[in-house]
Amino acid sequence: MTGTGTGKGIDRRRLLAAGGGLALTGALAACGSNTGRGGGGSGLGISQWYHQYGESGVEQAVKRYAAAYRKARVTVQWRPGDYDRQTSAALLTASGPDVFEANGPLLDQIRGGQVVDLTSEVEPVKDDFNQAVLAPKIWQDKIWGIPQAIDMQMLYYRKSLLRDAGLQPPQTLDALVDAAKKLTSKKTKGLFLGNDGGVGVLSGTPLFAAGLSLITEDGKVGFDDPAAARTLGKIRRLYADKSLLLGAPTDWSDPSAFLQGLTAMQWSGLWALPQVEKAFGDDFGILAFPKDGPDGRPSVPVGAYGAAVSARSAHQAQARAFAKWLWVERTDFQQDFALSYGFHIPARTSLAKKAAKLRKGAAADAVRFATDYGYAEPLLWTSASRTAYQDALSRIIKDGASPESELKSVVRKVNAELARVGKT
């Protein structure tokens, strides 16, 4: 799930792109490199891998955490490039990481026996984790990854522009479509969903807003319903009405279009909140994606990398103990990781409630949205399913293709994927 990275690296918002993966960069050659340093413990050594974050200070912070661990020497490796591909290749060898960040290919790693069960490490505090981001780490009632920090997306709007147009903040998708059209002028578009009209960023968000899902809890297609076509048809209306900003200098993950007045409303992430607040003071608000239909509810996409342990680790017990120490026991490090380098939500709800930066204003609203309306792409939502849905969404939004016909094709492809991954 994510947006574009900064020029310095790949930031945490990459979790929230519908594609879920990085461009293939051929970085496999870097798999054997050691770019970290040893931790402060004595005795045996274990290695820990992170993808390259764009926010300044993250690398130094995670090395500081590792150095504070006293029961083993922890070497942190910072992994630029195509992290998912690097990790997938390294887990097939004895020279891979002991502890590593996991996101996109976790299902394949679980089914392939490449990661270990961390249920006993998480179980004592399981209910304290945001359940939306914990769910994709669970397979066959076992927990395979420990959520680290939450990223989320939301809708920003200028209060003064809506007020001048006689509009209230849109609470339904119909109201959003109408507001975007009324707010569009020669200088300003009503809404920015990304330069592709929302194809890349929206993913399942409109489906959840209609009261549907990508995959149901019992492992079936969650949008084989007429409500799905109805809702995606309204997203098409935004494009057809020419209410959407297209061709902005930066994409949805960067708030520049909103800050420069190119759009009255923009879909972006929590990470943009400090910039927006600095620019507009009290003249902005945030919303979840508005509900659609009688069974709908507001929708907020959330995501979190999880700490996982390699099944090929020669020091599994020690690696599990370290992962538990850092991501379950050391709540001070967890809060520091989430809020001192960029702007994110701790994965533990108790920490999110206590965090001073998240206790008032729009930040407090964002935490409430993530808790009450958050959804994450389910573990069974494979890359093949995602691609089929994204391609259909593009044809619906940009080409005006029939939502009913497109979704029927997607349902067939997702059913085939579910049959494939359901085989253990």
Side-chain angles (χ1 to χ4, degrees), residues 30 128 183 227 275 313 356 400:
D128 190 38
L183 290 166
Q275 289 175 266
S313 169

Side-chain angles (χ1 to χ4, degrees), residues 37-76:
R37 66 175 186 181
S42 58
L44 62 86
I46 57 177
S47 63
Q48 181 186 27
W49 283 19
Y50 290 88
H51 81 283
Q52 184 182 13
Y53 289 86
E55 295 97 336
S56 176
V58 185
E59 182 179 6
Q60 292 75 18
V62 296
K63 289 179 178 178
R64 175 167 51 84
Y65 307 155
Y69 190 61
R70 297 301 172 191
K71 295 182 179 180
R73 292 178 290 105
V74 182
T75 298
V76 171

Side-chain angles (χ1 to χ4, degrees), residues 185-208:
S185 66
K186 291 182 179 180
K187 294 183 179 180
T188 303
K189 287 291 187 177
L191 178 63
F192 185 40
L193 296 174
N195 285 322
D196 60 3
V199 172
V201 69
L202 288 181
S203 187
T205 302
L207 302 179
F208 281 85

